[in-house]
């Protein structure tokens, strides 16, 4: 059901430092920051030859990654994103298998303008999983 790894998301306490690290130290192609008010994050996409890295920084009062950064003050891997062809079919299949879909189970439009869903980390070996329909 799942396809390619679309991205690995890393929460960072200092966005500029994260950009500098990936652009200058690691020599990757780093895109301009994008504010995503619906998701409470500012996102920076880093393009690698075979996938992307997504730097996440809290935006606004109730950012879903604020608590994560409190627990992980130097940052850390926040989620991984797999591609699916049909997000509603994937959701229905996973829910039928007992997996919890976050946020009421309705897809939101993600940072790439495509529908996304998040799956409960306790149902997926301790990893927050994002599904993106491509
Ligand atoms: Co993501």
């Amino acid at each position: 059901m799942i396809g390619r790894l679309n991205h690995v998301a890393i929460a960072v306490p200092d966005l500029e430092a994260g950009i500098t690290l990936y652009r200058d130290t690691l020599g990757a192609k780093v895109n301009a920051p994008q504010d995503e008010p619906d998701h409470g994050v500012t996102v920076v996409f880093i393009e690698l030859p075979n996938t992307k890295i997504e730097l996440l920084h809290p935006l606004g009062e109730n950012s879903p990654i604020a608590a994560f950064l409190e627990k992980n003050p130097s940052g850390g891997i926040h989620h991984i994103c797999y591609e699916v062809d049909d997000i509603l079919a994937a959701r229905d299949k996973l829910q039928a298998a007992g997996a919890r879909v976050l946020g009421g189970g309705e897809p939101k439009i993600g940072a790439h303008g495509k529908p996304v869903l998040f799956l409960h980390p306790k149902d997926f070996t301790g990893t927050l999983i994002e599904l993106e329909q491509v």
Side-chain angles (χ1 to χ4, degrees), residues 6-9 45 54 56 79-81 111-112 116 118 130 132:
N6 185 277
H7 60 267
V8 175
F45 282 107
E54 179 182 276
L56 296 176
H79 66 266
I80 58 178
C81 177
H112 307 107
V116 301
F118 286 89
E130 178 179 20
E132 181 175 300

Side-chain angles (χ1 to χ4, degrees), residues 16 36 38 52 55 82 101 103 107 121 125 128:
E16 279 309 313
E36 300 289 335
D38 285 357
K52 294 187 282 287
L55 301 182
Y82 299 125
V101 179
T125 61
L128 178 61

